[in-house]
Amino acid sequence: MLNQSPPSGPVREWATFPDPDDPKRRWQVDITWLASSWRCLFGCGCQGVLTAAAPELAQGCCSYGAHFSDEADRDRVLAAVDQLRPDEWQHRGAGRRRGVTARLAGGGWRTRLVDGACVFLNRPGFGAGAGCALHVLALRQGVHPMVTKPDVCWQLPLRKEDKEESDGTVTTTLSEFARSGWGPGGDEFAWWCTEAAEAFTGAEPVYRSLEPELRAMVGAALYESIAAYLDRRMAAAAGGGRNGAGGAVLVPHPAVRKAR
């Protein structure tokens, strides 16, 4: 494990971890992001991802539909659709009539849009409340939302990217889903939560608040290694000292530094 900082300065801190389940894979982990106090602001300050702030719409990051990662992801959500009740899903009629997926020109699928947002998004005034119908289903069934929602929805704003190296190994980067993750359209957002200081007010660091999601993304063994490392670093930072590996205390997230 090797601590790394970008060559331009300590904007973020990274650490490299071997994959305990795959000797040909290593992980570059964004320590600054995982140690931050980010939390989802849906329904309590989220301004959405449109070209102008629109908190009154309560669309969150659901304005453009969810792109499925593969057929298995799509089919899992389609199976959940059959379990949704009318009192849980505002646009059930439209979803039943036209289907809930749309084919992408470049291949793949996304959830269909209804009235300018995802077909599964319940709008303000609906009896079950504003938010994802698939999330409502998960709460009723007592399961984690990753069981019913598209992968990108439960992972956001975590992001995992693979890069194949010239020696045949793979480097997987684990960081935040920034504007760039949305492609060119991300630059047009009036607001994005990982850039907003008001989103960094969580009671726990990301590696603890999003523990189920991280375990699903990286595996249990690697998660334990990352969490143990961050526990040591957080303790060192709280004590105002240096960690056992000799590295400096944690670099604050850019959104937090900007607000100071």
Side-chain angles (χ1 to χ4, degrees):
M1 181 164 50
L2 173 65
N3 293 331
Q4 297 181 342
S5 294
S8 58
V11 176
R12 290 179 185 268
E13 183 182 353
W14 299 79
T16 304
F17 293 82
D19 191 318
D21 300 318
D22 184 352
K24 292 187 176 182
R25 183 184 302 272
R26 58 182 174 272
W27 291 74
Q28 293 279 6
V29 177
D30 186 343
I31 296 301
T32 297
W33 164 241
L34 293 185
S36 77
S37 58
W38 179 91
R39 66 184 181 97
C40 179
L41 293 180
F42 185 83
C44 57
C46 177
Q47 297 182 39
V49 291
L50 300 175
T51 55
E56 71 284 355
L57 297 180
Q59 290 187 0
C61 49
C62 306
S63 299
Y64 307 106
H67 290 233
F68 294 105
S69 57
D70 52 30
E71 290 188 25
D73 183 28
R74 180 201 61 185
D75 292 346
R76 178 174 47 78
V77 172
L78 290 177
V81 167
D82 292 334
Q83 304 170 58
L84 280 166
R85 304 186 312 214
D87 63 331
E88 296 172 325
W89 184 15
Q90 182 178 11
H91 296 289
R92 186 172 184 269
R96 292 289 188 182
R97 286 192 307 271
R98 302 181 59 210
V100 298
T101 65
R103 192 68 186 258
L104 300 171
W109 303 264
R110 64 161 169 78
T111 57
R112 191 178 295 280
L113 302 182
V114 173
D115 295 337
C118 179
V119 64
F120 293 113
L121 181 67
N122 297 330
R123 315 304 159 85
F126 183 64
C132 179
L134 295 169
H135 197 109
V136 175
L137 174 63
L139 294 177
R140 171 166 65 83
Q141 295 182 337
V143 298
H144 193 280
M146 72 175 69
V147 175
T148 59
K149 299 173 72 170
D151 286 342
V152 68
C153 298
W154 62 260
Q155 291 174 1
L156 203 69
L158 298 169
R159 192 177 193 203
K160 183 176 73 171
E161 297 178 280
D162 291 337
K163 177 185 177 184
E164 187 171 351
E165 307 293 352
S166 58
D167 61 0
T169 62
V170 175
T171 299
T172 302
T173 302
L174 178 67
S175 187
E176 70 187 54
F177 202 102
R179 287 176 182 266
S180 59
W182 293 85
D187 293 333
E188 300 175 3
F189 295 167
W191 183 87
W192 178 241
C193 63
T194 65
E195 297 177 351
E198 60 269 27
F200 290 81
T201 54
E204 296 181 301
V206 166
Y207 76 96
R208 289 301 182 188
S209 64
L210 297 183
E211 178 177 343
E213 292 86 348
L214 284 164
R215 284 183 178 272
M217 292 177 73
V218 309
L222 179 57
Y223 174 79
E224 292 294 342
S225 295
I226 294 172
Y229 173 78
L230 279 163
D231 283 344
R232 294 193 298 270
R233 294 298 310 280
M234 296 289 283
R242 300 172 69 86
N243 67 60
V249 295
L250 291 160
V251 175
H253 191 277
V256 177
R257 293 201 306 272
K258 185 177 178 181
R260 290 176 176 173

